[in-house]
């Protein structure tokens, strides 16, 4: 099942053009998201893979999106930085759990995030 949701956070880019030429420098965005009467501000930092850092990293308000705990595992699989956009792929696996008496089976999700660097619009597509 493919769920396409369009969140409309606007992210302002804070990296100098010389940093972009190096390719592996962190790219920081100050973002504002509004959805169904809820709004939030957050900082998104994207660190592409490089020769010295083999794995891409993504942070939201300083929290690493690569996470594992007793309930599951989430991993940033790839980050592709191009002039018009940044593409982020995240895979997640969830163990079965019961929340407030409701049983949820184990599952997986693949999320693709596209951040348009020109207008700051972020789109998120999830495949469950």
């Amino acid at each position: 099942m493919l769920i396409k949701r369009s969140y409309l956070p606007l992210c302002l880019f804070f990296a100098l053009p010389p940093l972009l030429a190096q390719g592996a420098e962190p790219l920081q965005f100050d973002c504002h998201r509004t959805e169904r009467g809820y709004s939030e501000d957050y900082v998104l930092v994207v660190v592409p893979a490089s020769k010295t850092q083999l794995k891409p990293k993504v942070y939201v308000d300083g929290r690493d999106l690569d996470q594992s705990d007793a309930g599951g595992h989430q991993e940033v699989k790839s980050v592709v930085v191009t002039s018009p956009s940044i593409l982020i792929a995240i895979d997640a696996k969830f163990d079965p759990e019961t929340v407030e008496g409701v049983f949820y089976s184990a599952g997986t999700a693949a999320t693709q995030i596209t951040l348009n660097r020109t207008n700051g619009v972020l789109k998120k597509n999830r495949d469950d």
Side-chain angles (χ1 to χ4, degrees):
M1 177 165 107
L2 180 63
I3 298 173
K4 292 187 178 183
R5 295 178 116 174
S6 179
Y7 300 94
L8 296 177
L10 296 179
C11 300
L12 302 174
F13 179 57
F14 287 96
L16 301 174
L19 295 177
L20 293 175
Q22 296 175 10
E25 292 293 325
L27 306 174
Q28 179 174 320
F29 301 87
D30 289 339
C31 304
H32 178 78
R33 179 179 89 141
T34 303
E35 181 182 11
R36 297 185 197 135
Y38 171 79
S39 67
E40 68 177 332
D41 293 309
Y42 60 94
V43 175
L44 175 72
V45 176
V46 177
V47 183
S50 67
K51 290 180 182 177
T52 57
Q53 178 177 309
L54 300 177
K55 183 166 180 1
K57 301 298 280 181
V58 179
Y59 301 90
V60 175
D61 284 341
R63 292 183 315 271
D64 189 347
L65 292 188
D66 285 325
Q67 296 185 14
S68 289
D69 63 18
H73 175 79
Q74 176 175 292
E75 180 181 9
V76 175
K77 298 302 272 183
S78 67
V79 172
V80 178
V81 179
T82 64
S83 2
S85 62
I86 297 174
L87 308 171
I88 302 167
I90 300 171
D91 285 347
K93 296 177 183 167
F94 306 96
D95 293 336
E97 66 179 334
T98 301
V99 177
E100 296 182 4
V102 178
F103 177 75
Y104 296 93
S105 60
T108 61
T111 303
Q112 294 81 36
I113 299 169
T114 304
L115 176 59
N116 183 310
R117 293 173 62 179
T118 305
N119 61 18
V121 173
L122 184 141
K123 290 184 182 177
K124 180 176 167 182
N125 297 319
R126 195 172 89 198
D127 183 17
D128 300 310

